[in-house]
Every structure is written in C-alpha cells, then in structure tokens.
C-alpha cells in the first residue's frame, strides 16, 4: 500500500518517513515494550499509535496539533525497535517527523524561550557551565525563571566543573594495539568530567593511542531528537570536517552521542555529505564495544566482593545493539558479581532532554527504575550514559538510598588502579 506522503513537500525526509510507515503492519508487538504505554495505558501513546498519528498528519488527514501531545510524550528510547518483527526503524521516523513538524507548530512564548535556552547552552560546554553555575544559585534564580525550568535545575548535581582542555594525543601504554579518535562530549564534561578521564586512562592501559581533536564539537544528538535538523547538520558538519580519517575507530563513552553520530547518514540523506557521513558513522564505536572487540587487559580484583547492577542505556542497547560488551567487561573484574535489573529494558526516564521536557512521566519512570535497582540488593550501579547516571542518582536519592552510581569505565579504571 502506498502512502500519500508528498515527497515534493517534504523532500527526501518524506520518502524516508513513508518507507518506515509502510513497513509497520500494526501487529502490536511494540506495545508491551513501550514505557509511556505502560505508564499511560493509551493506544496513541504507543509506537503503533504514534505511527498512525504521524501517517495521518503527513497525509494531511489530521491537524498537526491533534497529534503533538502524544508525539511529544515519546521518549525516543527505541525499545520498540528490537521488538518489531517488521524491522520498522522507528527512531528514524520520529526524528524526521519532529523536524518537519516544527515548521507547522505554534509554541507558547515560554516554550520557545525554554527551547532556545536548551539548544543554545547544552551543546556548548562553556555556555552550559555558566548556565549551570547560575542555576546552582537556587531560589534567587528560580524566582525569576518560568516554572518550566525547575526540572532542569533540580537535576543539577552538587558539583559543577569548568570544562578543561584535553591533550591532543595520549600515548598507549606498552605496545600500541589501536589508534582512535575520541569524542569529548558536551554536558558530560561539566556534570561529570571524571568519566572522560577514566575512559582515557582505561583506553591507554589497553594499548590504545588516542587522538583528541581540539576543534570538535557537539555530536548533534539532542538537536536530532528535538527536531532541529539545521542545528544537527551544522554540528555534524563540524565533526565530519575535523575528525581524522586515519584512525581505527571514533570512540564515545556516551550512549546518546554514539547513537546520534550513527544517525549522520540519515540527516545528510540525499545531500553531498552523505558519503562522508556513512564513512564516519561506520567508525563510531561505544568504548565498551571497542574494548570488548579489542580484548580487555585483565584488571585487578575488587578489594571486596561487589554486587554491581548494570543498567542498559536505551541508546546503547536499543539504538546500537550493544548489550553484551559492557557486561563482559564488568564481569572481567575479579570479585564483582554482575546483577541484572528486573525489567531492565524499560527506560529510566532520562532520554536526552525528556526528563526536563516531560518531568511528570520521567519521574514515574525514574521511581520505577530506582525500585527495581534496589530489588537487586546491589551495592553499586553501572551505566553507559550521562543522562541515565544523573536520572538514576536523583531517583535513588529521592528514595533515600545512597548507592554508588558510576560509568562502566569508572569501575574499570578503579579496578586497574586498585581502588575498587
């Protein structure tokens, strides 16, 4: 069945959206995997329902504003993708639809201000640091800002770090087994810079030489997933031009960033940069995936028996299909017992900027994730994405439980140095 989506109106994104809509057979396998369907129990808040809404809007059978509430509630966690027997690439459809819908929606002034602030601060570490420091002033800032900014301010950790320059080259310890380029990231460099430091030490310890390009920028993932394709392409072009081609891999330690960079061929589909984007995306590897394929140098044993729960970041497990690698790396640490979180496939509620745009649903999901982690009896939690780490820490704190929550690379780094 051919869908009446105008390629003349929407260009190559219209063709890409039509392909994914046509692939959906409305079987319903996606429903039990969808966190918002689980929370809200509404068909239109499931992947199948949202695909129907997007189809109707694109075929001009439904006004855009009638669909936006349900589309906006989507986490973009992509739990529906591995569950889909028809292979619908729901993430591609969602990102492209959000882009085309921006031209037709009317946002209230306060929403436009919020969107402007997030788009012009989060991808730029220097600006984000200043904004975060101002946000830590607490009541004086909250009294002058609209309430829509409150969830963002509440998520700020107690410590905010000024972004620091990283060396251009880090040599491998011992024999050089691989040469890679490293994405520094944006928000993570301010909220938790130790993740990068630990990652670089672990890579070097495993015989990896690391090139850190000074003029690299944000990966563009947040812009892609919020529908700002122009900004996403601008940020992506900077990376396509600055990252070297003569490396074995482009390494990231943030699930959202890795997923975003692997979407470069999608956002440049039909444009002159498409071939370079495919070459670039083909080299992108999450650090756990890369180290697992390379072969991990054996770490030291933990100083005591450690019960460690592993949380699957959605854009690592669902978008990139990386599930085995981080688990195997953590299990390689002697004296560590790796625990599976019940219903671990459900999103924690972070999902990029979701927990500041849809705080009510995000809070429910965060509470559920915290309870399931606590059910494991874990001493600590490992995850591979800064958004998940922030969300889970806050959810556990609200539950009154102080459990160590860190990046997978931080646990490995501590094991290598005898501090675990």
């Amino acid at each position: 069945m051919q869908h009446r989506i105008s390629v003349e109106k929407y260009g190559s994104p219209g063709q890409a959206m039509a392909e994914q809509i046509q692939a959906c057979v409305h079987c319903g396998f996606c429903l039990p995997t969808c966190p918002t369907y689980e929370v809200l129990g509404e068909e239109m808040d499931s992947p199948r329902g949202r695909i129907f809404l997007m189809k109707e809007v694109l075929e001009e059978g439904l006004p855009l504003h009638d669909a936006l509430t349900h589309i906006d509630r989507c986490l973009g966690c992509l739990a529906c993708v591995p569950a889909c027997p028809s292979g619908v690439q729901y993430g591609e459809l969602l990102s492209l639809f959000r882009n085309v819908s921006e031209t037709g929606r009317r946002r209230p002034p306060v929403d436009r201000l919020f969107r402007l602030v997030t788009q012009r601060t989060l991808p730029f570490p220097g600006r984000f640091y200043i904004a975060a420091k101002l946000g830590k002033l607490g009541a004086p800032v909250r009294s002058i800002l609209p309430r829509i900014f409150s969830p963002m301010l509440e998520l700020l950790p107690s410590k905010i770090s000024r972004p620091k320059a990283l060396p251009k080259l880090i040599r491998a310890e011992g024999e050089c087994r691989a040469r890679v380029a490293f994405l520094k990231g944006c928000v993570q460099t301010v909220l938790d810079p130790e993740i990068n430091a630990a990652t670089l030490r672990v890579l070097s310890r495993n015989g990896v030489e690391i090139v850190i390009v000074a003029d690299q920028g944000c990966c563009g993932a947040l812009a892609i997933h919020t529908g700002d394709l122009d900004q996403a392409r601008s940020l992506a072009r900077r990376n396509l031009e600055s990252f070297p081609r003569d490396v074995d891999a482009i390494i990231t330690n943030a699930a959202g960033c890795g997923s975003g960079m692997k979407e470069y061929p999608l956002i440049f589909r039909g444009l002159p940069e498409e071939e370079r984007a495919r070459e670039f995306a083909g080299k992108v590897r999450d650090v756990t995936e890369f180290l697992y394929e390379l072969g991990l140098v054996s770490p030291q044993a933990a100083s005591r028996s450690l019960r460690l729960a592993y949380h699957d970041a959605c854009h690592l497990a669902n978008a990139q299909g990386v599930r085995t690698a981080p688990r195997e790396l953590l299990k390689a640490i002697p004296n560590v017992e790796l625990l599976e979180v019940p219903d671990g496939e459900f999103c924690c509620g972070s999902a990029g900027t979701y927990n500041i745009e849809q705080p009510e649903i995000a809070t429910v999901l965060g509470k559920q994730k915290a309870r399931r982690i606590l059910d494991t009896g874990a001493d600590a939690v490992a995850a591979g994405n800064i958004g998940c780490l922030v969300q889970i820490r806050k959810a556990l704190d609200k539950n009154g439980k102080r459990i160590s929550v860190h990046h997978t690379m931080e646990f490995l780094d501590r094991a290598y140095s005898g501090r675990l």
Side-chain angles (χ1 to χ4, degrees), residues 102-147:
E102 279 304 310
T103 60
R105 72 186 297 166
R106 295 181 179 179
R107 293 183 179 272
V110 68
D111 284 357
R112 292 201 299 270
L113 173 63
F114 177 78
R115 187 174 172 85
L116 178 66
V117 169
T118 54
Q119 289 177 335
R120 295 296 176 258
T121 57
L122 297 181
F124 307 97
R127 298 179 197 174
F128 179 56
Y129 169 73
I130 294 171
K133 289 293 283 186
L134 290 173
K136 293 300 292 180
L137 294 176
V141 173
R142 296 186 186 191
S143 65
I144 63 173
L145 287 176
R147 291 180 60 186

Side-chain angles (χ1 to χ4, degrees), residues 51-315:
I51 289 174
F52 174 79
L53 291 174
M54 286 186 268
K55 170 185 176 292
E56 290 298 300
V57 170
L58 293 168
E59 294 182 352
E60 301 181 348
L62 181 74
L64 175 62
H65 63 81
D66 288 349
L68 284 176
T69 296
H70 303 287
I71 304 300
D72 288 347
R73 286 177 184 161
C74 180
L75 291 142
C77 69
L78 306 185
C80 54
V81 174
C84 179
S86 301
V88 177
Q89 296 304 305
Y90 177 81
E92 293 185 8
L93 174 59
L94 179 66
S95 295
L96 292 173
F97 181 85
R98 282 178 168 168
N99 173 251
V100 301
S101 69
E102 279 304 310
T103 60
R105 72 186 297 166
R106 295 181 179 179
R107 293 183 179 272
V110 68
D111 284 357
R112 292 201 299 270
L113 173 63
F114 177 78
R115 187 174 172 85
L116 178 66
V117 169
T118 54
Q119 289 177 335
R120 295 296 176 258
T121 57
L122 297 181
F124 307 97
R127 298 179 197 174
F128 179 56
Y129 169 73
I130 294 171
K133 289 293 283 186
L134 290 173
K136 293 300 292 180
L137 294 176
V141 173
R142 296 186 186 191
S143 65
I144 63 173
L145 287 176
R147 291 180 60 186
I148 195 172
F149 287 91
S150 294
M152 181 190 299
L153 299 177
E154 291 172 1
L155 284 167
L156 290 173
S158 58
K159 183 180 179 181
I160 303 295
S161 300
R162 185 186 298 275
K164 296 180 180 179
L166 296 176
K168 294 181 179 179
L169 181 69
I170 296 176
R171 299 289 184 184
E173 290 186 20
E175 178 186 357
C176 183
R177 303 165 65 200
R179 182 172 181 268
V180 304
F182 179 67
L183 181 82
K184 296 181 293 186
C186 305
V187 170
Q188 182 171 275
T189 63
V190 175
L191 297 184
D192 201 341
E194 180 57 25
I195 294 174
N196 276 357
T199 299
L200 296 173
R201 287 192 292 265
V202 170
L203 285 170
S204 178
R205 178 70 179 81
N206 278 270
V208 180
E209 181 176 275
I210 309 136
V211 178
I212 305 175
V213 181
D215 59 348
Q216 63 176 278
C218 172
C219 66
L222 290 178
I224 294 172
H225 300 147
T226 56
D228 191 346
L229 203 54
D230 289 338
Q231 185 187 36
R233 285 171 177 159
S234 175
L235 294 169
R237 284 190 183 99
R238 179 175 177 177
N239 288 330
L240 294 180
E241 293 168 359
S242 63
F243 272 76
R245 296 187 174 192
D246 60 341
V247 291
D248 299 308
I250 297 168
I251 299 296
T252 175
N253 55 14
C257 296
S259 174
M261 291 191 293
K262 287 183 178 181
E263 287 189 83
Y264 283 4
L266 172 68
I267 67 174
F268 288 114
R269 182 171 175 172
L271 298 177
E273 298 92 341
E274 183 176 0
E275 183 177 349
R276 170 61 180 141
R278 291 192 182 282
E279 176 192 349
F280 184 98
K283 286 193 172 184
V284 173
R285 294 285 186 278
D286 183 79
V287 63
T288 59
E289 178 185 25
F290 178 79
L291 285 171
Y292 179 61
E293 293 171 354
L294 184 67
L296 189 71
V297 173
S298 298
Q300 296 183 46
S303 60
R304 59 182 176 85
S305 179
L306 179 67
R307 292 169 57 82
L308 182 60
Y310 178 73
H311 162 74
D312 275 305
C314 296
H315 279 87

Side-chain angles (χ1 to χ4, degrees), residues 329-346:
L329 297 185
L330 292 169
K331 286 194 287 188
I333 305 173
N335 233 10
V336 166
E337 179 187 359
L338 195 66
L339 306 173
E340 291 296 329
V341 178
D343 297 321
E345 68 277 7
F346 274 91

